[in-house]
PDB file of all heavy atoms in Angstrom:
ATOM      1  N   ASP I  90      -7.904  13.240 -35.744  1.00 91.00           N
ATOM      2  CA  ASP I  90      -8.792  12.613 -36.741  1.00 91.00           C
ATOM      3  C   ASP I  90     -10.236  12.629 -36.333  1.00 91.00           C
ATOM      4  O   ASP I  90     -11.054  11.916 -37.058  1.00 91.00           O
ATOM      5  CB  ASP I  90      -8.290  11.183 -36.881  1.00 91.00           C
ATOM      6  CG  ASP I  90      -6.923  10.962 -37.400  1.00 91.00           C
ATOM      7  OD1 ASP I  90      -6.561  11.928 -38.184  1.00 91.00           O
ATOM      8  OD2 ASP I  90      -6.215  10.033 -37.034  1.00 91.00           O
ATOM      9  N   VAL I  91     -10.663  13.426 -35.396  1.00 92.00           N
ATOM     10  CA  VAL I  91     -12.145  13.397 -35.084  1.00 92.00           C
ATOM     11  C   VAL I  91     -12.607  14.890 -35.091  1.00 92.00           C
ATOM     12  O   VAL I  91     -11.785  15.841 -35.010  1.00 92.00           O
ATOM     13  CB  VAL I  91     -12.380  12.842 -33.639  1.00 92.00           C
ATOM     14  CG1 VAL I  91     -12.021  11.337 -33.531  1.00 92.00           C
ATOM     15  CG2 VAL I  91     -11.574  13.619 -32.623  1.00 92.00           C
ATOM     16  N   LYS I  92     -13.903  14.972 -35.320  1.00 94.00           N
ATOM     17  CA  LYS I  92     -14.512  16.354 -35.446  1.00 94.00           C
ATOM     18  C   LYS I  92     -15.117  16.864 -34.128  1.00 94.00           C
ATOM     19  O   LYS I  92     -15.418  18.109 -33.951  1.00 94.00           O
ATOM     20  CB  LYS I  92     -15.574  16.377 -36.517  1.00 94.00           C
ATOM     21  CG  LYS I  92     -15.103  16.253 -37.901  1.00 94.00           C
ATOM     22  CD  LYS I  92     -14.405  17.556 -38.309  1.00 94.00           C
ATOM     23  CE  LYS I  92     -15.377  18.750 -38.425  1.00 94.00           C
ATOM     24  NZ  LYS I  92     -14.768  20.006 -38.869  1.00 94.00           N
ATOM     25  N   GLU I  93     -15.442  15.976 -33.230  1.00 95.00           N
ATOM     26  CA  GLU I  93     -16.088  16.369 -31.924  1.00 95.00           C
ATOM     27  C   GLU I  93     -15.788  15.344 -30.825  1.00 95.00           C
ATOM     28  O   GLU I  93     -15.238  14.261 -31.058  1.00 95.00           O
ATOM     29  CB  GLU I  93     -17.538  16.579 -32.056  1.00 95.00           C
ATOM     30  CG  GLU I  93     -18.314  15.340 -32.507  1.00 95.00           C
ATOM     31  CD  GLU I  93     -19.794  15.652 -32.824  1.00 95.00           C
ATOM     32  OE1 GLU I  93     -20.110  16.426 -33.654  1.00 95.00           O
ATOM     33  OE2 GLU I  93     -20.618  15.027 -32.018  1.00 95.00           O
ATOM     34  N   ALA I  94     -16.124  15.749 -29.594  1.00 94.00           N
ATOM     35  CA  ALA I  94     -15.931  14.881 -28.473  1.00 94.00           C
ATOM     36  C   ALA I  94     -16.982  15.309 -27.431  1.00 94.00           C
ATOM     37  O   ALA I  94     -17.491  16.364 -27.428  1.00 94.00           O
ATOM     38  CB  ALA I  94     -14.521  15.038 -27.848  1.00 94.00           C
ATOM     39  N   PRO I  95     -17.228  14.257 -26.464  1.00 94.00           N
ATOM     40  CA  PRO I  95     -18.279  14.583 -25.510  1.00 94.00           C
ATOM     41  C   PRO I  95     -17.830  15.745 -24.618  1.00 94.00           C
ATOM     42  O   PRO I  95     -16.649  15.754 -24.131  1.00 94.00           O
ATOM     43  CB  PRO I  95     -18.344  13.268 -24.671  1.00 94.00           C
ATOM     44  CG  PRO I  95     -17.877  12.213 -25.615  1.00 94.00           C
ATOM     45  CD  PRO I  95     -16.848  12.893 -26.460  1.00 94.00           C
ATOM     46  N   ARG I  96     -18.606  16.684 -24.343  1.00 94.00           N
ATOM     47  CA  ARG I  96     -18.349  17.785 -23.372  1.00 94.00           C
ATOM     48  C   ARG I  96     -17.909  17.361 -22.056  1.00 94.00           C
ATOM     49  O   ARG I  96     -16.986  17.865 -21.460  1.00 94.00           O
ATOM     50  CB  ARG I  96     -19.508  18.760 -23.335  1.00 94.00           C
ATOM     51  CG  ARG I  96     -19.308  19.927 -22.422  1.00 94.00           C
ATOM     52  CD  ARG I  96     -20.391  20.878 -22.366  1.00 94.00           C
ATOM     53  NE  ARG I  96     -20.238  21.906 -21.432  1.00 94.00           N
ATOM     54  CZ  ARG I  96     -21.048  22.983 -21.222  1.00 94.00           C
ATOM     55  NH1 ARG I  96     -22.060  23.016 -22.119  1.00 94.00           N
ATOM     56  NH2 ARG I  96     -20.824  23.887 -20.333  1.00 94.00           N
ATOM     57  N   SER I  97     -18.547  16.255 -21.563  1.00 91.00           N
ATOM     58  CA  SER I  97     -18.314  15.778 -20.183  1.00 91.00           C
ATOM     59  C   SER I  97     -16.884  15.291 -20.047  1.00 91.00           C
ATOM     60  O   SER I  97     -16.344  15.222 -18.953  1.00 91.00           O
ATOM     61  CB  SER I  97     -19.385  14.752 -19.796  1.00 91.00           C
ATOM     62  OG  SER I  97     -19.236  13.516 -20.803  1.00 91.00           O
TER      63      SER I  97
END
Side-chain angles (χ1 to χ4, degrees):
D90 295 329
V91 295
K92 287 288 293 180
E93 60 182 64
R96 176 176 175 175
S97 60

